[in-house]
Amino acid sequence: MSRPVLMRPLPYPPSFVWRVPGSKSLTNRALVLAALAEGPSTLEGVLQSDDTRHMQRCLRQLSVTITELSPERWQVDGAGRSPTDAPLFVGNSGTTVRFLTGLAALLDGQTTLEGDAHMAKRPIQDLVDALQSMGIPIDCPTGCPPLTVSGNGQLPGGRVVMRGDRSSQYFTALMMAGCAAAGPLQIAVDPDYGALVSRPYVEMTAALIGRFGGQVMVGDAHIDITPTQLQGQSLRIEPDASSASYPFAAAAATGGRITVPGLGRDALQGDVAFVDILTKMGAQVIEEDGALTVQGPQTLRGVDVDMKHISDTVMTLAAIAPLAEGPTTIRNIANIRIKETDRLAATATELRRLGQQVEAGPDWMRITPQPLRPATIDCYSDHRIAMSFAVLGLAAEGITIADPDCTAKTYPGFWDDVDALMHASRETGGSRDAAATNRS
């Protein structure tokens, strides 16, 4: 665990350009699709983080050629991919273990995937059950990694039923592998468990598959994949919309004005809709020149919102809720209990540590603002908890982040960007464009 960091509130409302790094979700999906494609692919703006390095290293173990033309520009050629005798170590990267479980079903031989102690508690049984129902032998004794996939070089087509209330990543794994199936594949959402959670991520996967020449139709009750030989592409990765929630929330929390370039409302990533919640809280959102700007209000308003489809930003909203007038209620978020940690329970615990009144149920929480008291935030090795409460620390005194280095999972440069924001706030009352000193 890293050395704790005591946050300092910004001295002035900032005016700042915050260049968010590439999307983890898009980077890891694009790496898998490029590995399945015929011919080389060039990926621009890729994210360099723990999760993407796990994916890169595992694909290389599977004989996929990945050449770093520059830190953020990679070339991928999947020709010759094959299983490996050595286990694939995925760390605590959920996208890596789930997406590569699907890819391993296409290989001829056994592939073992294992992770760290946190990964050993993250469920993957729904995906295992789906692949086993398609005739793919998988050994997964605990329902969590480690697991061993025994592929025979081909994924059969047909129809598979999977519950949709836990993780859209299981569906994404099958969608990508389905591009190389022996026949058309339909993934049906089990109606006994309600609608598909985080559907924008499934739609993002379908759109990305389309960029590589694949054919996917996403409906309310099922997803249909027509097997197609994907073709190598040149692709630019968008800034990470989940990570962009932190600068957007910082603007709302401090009354500042923060711009994230390269990200618009038409982004492939559904988490860009977080700015709509900030609008309900009183912030102004401006879209121009391929960028989104949030201007914070004088006073935030509490909101009542359903965040089923943008659950990675739940903690961002919860962390700034103590600054609002009136309670904030967040609904339909049961799936955040099986992320890097039980995020619902962890967020409620840390808010109570800060003196907040928090009520919570199986799939909801309500935060009623109380005077904030100083506290050290336990991050639970969860990058999003660390970054979310860091945003609160930019607006309120006494917030210490216990494990700041856990942000390296998806955003290694986060603290450098926070320092640049602080510097901009100090200079001339925060009135300057700090793009030159921020991430380029």
Side-chain angles (χ1 to χ4, degrees):
M1 182 175 290
S2 49
R3 186 174 180 178
V5 167
L6 173 63
M7 300 299 300
R8 298 291 185 188
L10 298 179
Y12 301 96
S15 178
F16 188 63
V17 175
W18 188 315
R19 300 188 182 277
V20 173
S23 164
K24 176 201 76 173
S25 298
L26 286 173
T27 297
N28 274 0
R29 282 166 172 79
L31 283 170
V32 172
L33 292 172
L36 290 171
E38 183 176 71
S41 295
T42 302
L43 309 180
E44 304 268 2
V46 298
L47 173 67
Q48 287 270 16
S49 73
D50 288 350
D51 277 16
T52 59
R53 279 190 286 270
H54 283 306
M55 179 65 84
Q56 181 198 64
R57 186 181 60 256
C58 289
L59 286 173
R60 282 175 168 163
Q61 275 187 255
L62 298 175
S63 301
V64 175
T65 301
I66 302 177
T67 305
E68 292 195 21
L69 306 176
S70 72
E72 297 181 357
R73 185 169 180 259
W74 297 355
Q75 183 171 293
V76 184
D77 191 338
R81 61 182 183 273
S82 60
T84 174
D85 292 336
L88 304 181
F89 181 73
V90 302
N92 192 22
S93 174
T95 54
T96 301
V97 72
R98 291 160 183 168
F99 299 171
L100 292 188
T101 295
L103 179 63
L106 302 172
L107 303 177
D108 190 7
Q110 288 192 340
T111 305
T112 297
L113 300 100
E114 61 185 23
D116 61 16
H118 299 286
M119 178 56 72
K121 300 175 183 177
R122 299 186 66 177
I124 198 169
Q125 190 66 49
D126 291 340
L127 179 58
V128 168
D129 289 344
L131 287 167
Q132 287 178 333
S133 75
M134 300 173 72
I136 305 298
I138 301 179
D139 182 29
C140 184
T142 67
C144 301
L147 70 158
T148 299
V149 182
S150 298
N152 62 6
Q154 190 174 61
L155 184 71
R159 185 175 186 268
V160 62
V161 180
M162 193 158 50
R163 62 187 294 174
D165 60 325
R166 286 177 170 154
S167 176
S168 64
Q169 291 178 7
Y170 303 146
F171 287 78
T172 284
L174 287 183
M175 289 165 67
M176 293 193 294
C179 293
L185 175 64
Q186 182 177 89
I187 312 168
V189 181
D190 191 331
D192 292 341
Y193 298 96
L196 179 63
V197 72
S198 300
R199 176 168 170 161
Y201 281 91
V202 168
E203 292 172 342
M204 175 176 69
T205 302
L208 201 60
I209 289 172
R211 298 272 182 95
F212 282 85
Q215 300 180 49
V216 178
M217 295 293 293
V218 179
D220 291 335
H222 52 80
I223 301 163
D224 294 291
I225 303 101
T226 300
T228 309
Q229 176 57 64
L230 303 181
Q231 300 298 318
Q233 298 294 315
S234 292
L235 184 73
R236 174 164 287 280
I237 305 296
E238 297 170 351
D240 193 295
S242 303
S243 295
S245 72
Y246 310 121
F248 291 147
T254 64
R257 183 182 180 91
I258 297 181
T259 298
V260 175
L263 194 66
R265 290 183 183 274
D266 62 347
L268 291 176
Q269 303 162 82
D271 281 1
V272 73
F274 181 73
V275 298
D276 297 331
I277 295 176
L278 297 180
T279 300
K280 293 178 181 178
M281 300 183 82
Q284 181 184 9
V285 179
I286 304 154
E287 182 176 14
E288 58 184 2
D289 300 327
L292 283 173
T293 298
V294 171
Q295 172 65 61
Q298 289 188 341
T299 304
L300 286 173
R301 298 189 296 265
V303 290
D304 188 327
V305 289
D306 183 325
M307 298 187 73
K308 177 178 182 177
H309 293 308
I310 56 170
S311 60
D312 275 351
T313 63
V314 166
M315 292 69 60
T316 318
L317 174 59
I320 64 172
L323 306 172
E325 283 190 351
T328 289
T329 303
I330 309 173
R331 304 182 187 275
N332 220 352
I333 53 172
N335 67 309
I336 73 171
R337 291 188 179 276
I338 58 168
K339 299 284 188 174
E340 281 79 345
T341 187
D342 181 339
R343 285 177 170 170
L344 201 160
T347 302
T349 297
E350 298 314 303
L351 286 167
R352 292 182 182 124
R353 197 190 305 276
L354 291 164
Q356 301 308 291
Q357 179 183 332
V358 183
E359 304 163 79
D363 66 347
W364 63 275
M365 74 170 67
R366 180 177 298 111
I367 303 124
T368 302
Q370 304 293 321
L372 280 159
R373 63 176 180 233
T376 296
I377 302 300
D378 186 346
C379 300
Y380 307 86
S381 298
D382 191 320
H383 54 129
R384 300 214 180 278
I385 290 177
M387 291 186 280
S388 296
F389 282 95
V391 171
L392 178 60
L394 295 172
E397 293 278 1
I399 310 295
T400 298
I401 306 301
D403 181 19
D405 285 358
C406 70
T407 62
K409 186 175 192 296
T410 55
Y411 198 161
F414 177 76
W415 298 106
D416 291 336
D417 289 347
V418 168
D419 287 345
L421 176 65
M422 179 66 73
H423 182 67
S425 175
R426 289 184 181 129
E427 282 200 357
T428 61
S431 179
R432 82 177 187 97
D433 180 343
T437 61
N438 198 14
R439 184 183 302 275
S440 59

